[in-house]
Amino acid sequence: MSDFENLPIDDHSRQLLAEGGLRFGLVDTADSDMVRRWLLAEDRGFHDPLPSDELLAAQARDLQHDRVSGVWDPTSASPADPIGTVRSWLMGLTVPGGDTVSAWAISAVTVAPTHRRRGIARELLNSELRTAQRAGLPLAMLTVSEATIYSRFGFAPAADQATLTIDTNRVRWTGPVPGGRLHIVPPSSLLDAAPAIFARARVRFPGEIDRRPELWRYILGLNPLKHGERDDLVAVRYDDEAGDLQGFAVYRFEHEKTGYPSRLHVTDLVAATDDAYAALWRYLIEMDLISEVHAPLRSIDEPVAWQVSDRRAVQKTNEHDQLWLRILDVPALLSERQYFAPGAFVLTVSDNLGLADGEFLLTVDADGRGQAHPFSGADAPADAAHITLSIAELGALYLGGMSALVLARAGRVGEETTDAAARLDASFHSPYAPWVSTSF
Ligand SMILES: CC(C)(COP(=O)(O)OP(=O)(O)OC[C@H]1O[C@@H](n2cnc3c(N)ncnc32)[C@H](O)[C@@H]1OP(=O)(O)O)[C@@H](O)C(=O)NCCC(=O)NCCS
């Protein structure tokens, strides 16, 4: 979409905030003073320490092509500093079956502590959703710091993350031993090749999202350091027997007082093939002088637990929802993903913001292709399963990780026909657990 970053501020929210004496507007990303003030307001919102000038300059570069908005209070002590921030951009999301849907990513939602709980964030979010919908996007998404804020806006958790901690003294590698080669390389040497490997890896996992160039620079240790960060990353790459790069891991050692490292911290592991996956994990787990491998940001469903001699040595902790979806166009989105059993479904969807409610018919053919459209009542097959749910529950189900049956038992979806939830699960459930390996 061209000129995305200049899509105008939603009139309704602008007027509402103006009635409270506040100005809601876009940040001109060519105006370095304005950008600097916006970035500092965002840092204040998340209680981050003051960034270095070098880091600020890098962050300013990173938001050049984003839609950056702020709220200003002309009566505050420093009226040029925003008291509210939000930022959005277009980002690809993998859906079940491996296709990519273009979504409206929202980030940097902050309101100054002096201005909280008077509805400013509400208008920031409402305006983002309405603008996204007007721009024709079928969904919005975000990663959340607090899980209690976003369901009122129709968002729901749809893809997860977990931390793996492997006690390497307890395990032998029992998985495959691929025939390719491993090479220790400077992380920066992966900058050109890593995005293509990731693009191949991510299509397997519903919930995975694009990684932007600035994220790659961060992952590969090329950005100015944030407060408390270290610059001691190591990378290993796996080339298959033909010599082609198929995966890599980035990691660092955590040194004990004795002088020996004893913990290996994996900051990223991307594998385009199962061979690359096995070779990289084997390399990390068999590292000498290491008693523990610690890997955050992993899937909740990692094969590595089945590739070692003692499954209990692989602990999964901090399992949590990471990516939240807000559906804006039900038929368009339902028609984008693959399904895993044929069927016909009538979905009666409520939406307290009135953006995407209605009754929809989804038919899934024998090849798993889905067609959805608003339902007139006339053309539903007699055996259609009928479900009543809110737009948030549909968001939770969309990537195929959540069970409609569980939501029905929780009283969150209604079954209007016998076994409707179980039939929905048979079609919707994804063989790969939805996973997102980053946050934004
Ligand atoms: C979270 C934050 C943006 C909220 O801003 P705000 O302007 O005070 O929020 P609003 O007054 O518009 O509140 C909107 C709704 O969200 C609720 N809400 C706001 N902050 C909340 C919180 N931290 N936890 C739970 N609910 C919250 C409000 O109660 C209100 O709901 P209601 O109208 O149904 O009662 C602000 O407190 C902040 O900047 N926090 C630190 C940064 C942060 O956590 N950002 C979120 C990133 S994921």
Side-chain angles (χ1 to χ4, degrees):
M1 184 185 306
S2 63
D3 216 20
F4 163 84
E5 58 270 32
N6 295 320
L7 288 173
I9 292 285
D10 176 75
D11 246 355
H12 185 69
S13 294
R14 192 175 51 72
Q15 275 173 27
L16 268 178
L17 290 173
E19 282 164 19
L22 303 171
R23 185 175 76 76
F24 185 14
L26 291 177
V27 169
D28 175 0
T29 53
D31 181 335
S32 56
D33 179 59
M34 203 176 185
V35 166
R36 183 185 168 84
R37 289 173 187 278
W38 186 93
L39 286 168
L40 290 172
E42 183 201 359
D43 284 333
R44 177 191 56 201
F46 288 108
H47 313 310
D48 286 340
L50 266 186
S52 64
D53 285 345
E54 201 191 359
L55 181 57
L56 269 177
Q59 289 172 337
R61 271 196 306 277
D62 292 346
L63 53 69
Q64 284 309 304
H65 301 293
D66 293 354
R67 185 171 179 276
V68 184
S69 315
V71 178
W72 289 264
D73 180 350
T75 65
S76 77
S78 52
D81 295 325
I83 53 90
T85 62
V86 66
R87 168 184 184 189
S88 41
W89 61 91
L90 299 184
M91 187 149 74
L93 166 74
T94 305
V95 298
D99 282 344
T100 298
V101 166
S102 191
W104 181 278
I106 301 173
S107 181
V109 180
T110 74
V111 171
T114 46
H115 289 68
R116 62 197 284 277
R117 305 304 181 269
R118 53 170 107 156
I120 297 173
R122 175 174 290 284
E123 289 320 311
L124 293 177
L125 283 156
N126 285 344
S127 75
E128 289 290 317
L129 295 178
R130 284 194 291 260
T131 307
Q133 193 177 49
R134 270 197 297 274
L137 273 296
L139 87 159
M141 59 191 189
L142 39 72
T143 57
V144 312
S145 52
E146 289 200 67
T148 44
I149 302 177
Y150 293 101
S151 53
R152 59 173 58 71
F153 298 101
F155 286 91
D160 296 325
Q161 264 180 12
T163 297
L164 289 189
T165 305
I166 306 176
D167 178 348
T168 56
N169 289 330
R170 272 175 66 179
V171 293
R172 271 180 308 105
W173 181 259
T174 55
V177 179
R181 282 198 61 188
L182 292 156
H183 302 273
I184 296 174
V185 292
S188 57
S189 69
L190 295 166
L191 190 60
D192 290 337
I197 295 296
F198 178 74
R200 285 172 52 210
R202 91 161 164 88
V203 297
R204 276 180 170 179
F205 301 103
E208 270 289 29
I209 52 178
D210 288 342
R211 291 184 176 183
R212 309 202 309 164
E214 65 264 27
L215 182 62
W216 282 115
R217 286 198 300 277
Y218 175 74
I219 289 170
L220 300 174
L222 294 166
N223 261 5
L225 294 179
K226 286 187 184 158
H227 185 76
E229 283 179 346
R230 296 170 10 200
D231 62 350
D232 51 359
L233 292 173
V234 185
V236 59
R237 55 179 282 169
Y238 172 77
D239 294 354
D240 65 15
E241 280 155 307
D244 294 327
L245 174 65
Q246 299 293 356
F248 59 88
V250 184
Y251 57 95
R252 65 160 50 90
F253 297 108
E254 288 180 9
H255 296 264
E256 292 292 302
K257 286 202 179 70
T258 58
Y260 290 104
S262 69
R263 200 166 195 241
L264 189 156
H265 184 83
V266 185
T267 55
D268 198 24
L269 187 153
V270 176
T273 63
D274 287 338
D275 274 0
Y277 181 90
L280 291 166
W281 275 112
R282 176 175 179 235
Y283 166 87
L284 296 169
I285 286 173
E286 291 188 342
M287 184 80 66
D288 285 338
L289 299 179
I290 293 297
S291 57
E292 186 177 286
V293 171
H294 181 79
L297 312 175
R298 302 308 306 174
S299 162
I300 58 169
D301 224 359
E302 291 275 348
V304 67
W306 295 89
Q307 294 177 313
V308 293
S309 54
D310 181 355
R311 216 179 136 228
R312 289 188 185 177
V314 182
Q315 296 283 328
K316 186 169 61 171
T317 58
N318 191 27
E319 186 171 336
H320 63 280
D321 55 73
Q322 177 68 3
L323 182 75
W324 289 53
L325 301 187
R326 203 303 173 190
I327 298 179
L328 297 168
D329 184 335
V330 174
L333 199 60
L334 289 178
S335 303
E336 292 277 0
R337 59 156 285 184
Q338 191 194 332
Y339 298 87
F340 300 99
F345 305 93
V346 173
L347 304 173
T348 305
V349 180
S350 60
D351 181 349
N352 60 359
L353 298 187
L355 295 171
D357 44 350
E359 197 150 54
F360 306 95
L361 175 65
L362 167 67
T363 49
V364 177
D365 68 17
D367 295 325
R369 280 188 298 263
Q371 289 291 332
H373 52 78
F375 176 50
S376 64
D379 52 354
D383 63 345
H386 186 178
I387 295 264
T388 312
L389 73 181
S390 83
I391 197 71
E393 273 81 40
L394 190 57
L397 292 167
Y398 180 69
L399 293 178
M402 188 59 217
S403 153
L405 198 56
V406 171
L407 291 180
R409 291 176 56 208
R412 299 280 297 260
V413 309
E415 294 184 281
E416 309 303 328
T417 53
T418 312
D419 291 337
R423 288 176 60 193
L424 193 91
D425 283 340
S427 278
F428 273 58
H429 185 71
S430 162
Y432 287 92
W435 171 38
V436 58
S437 61
T438 53
S439 66
F440 59 90

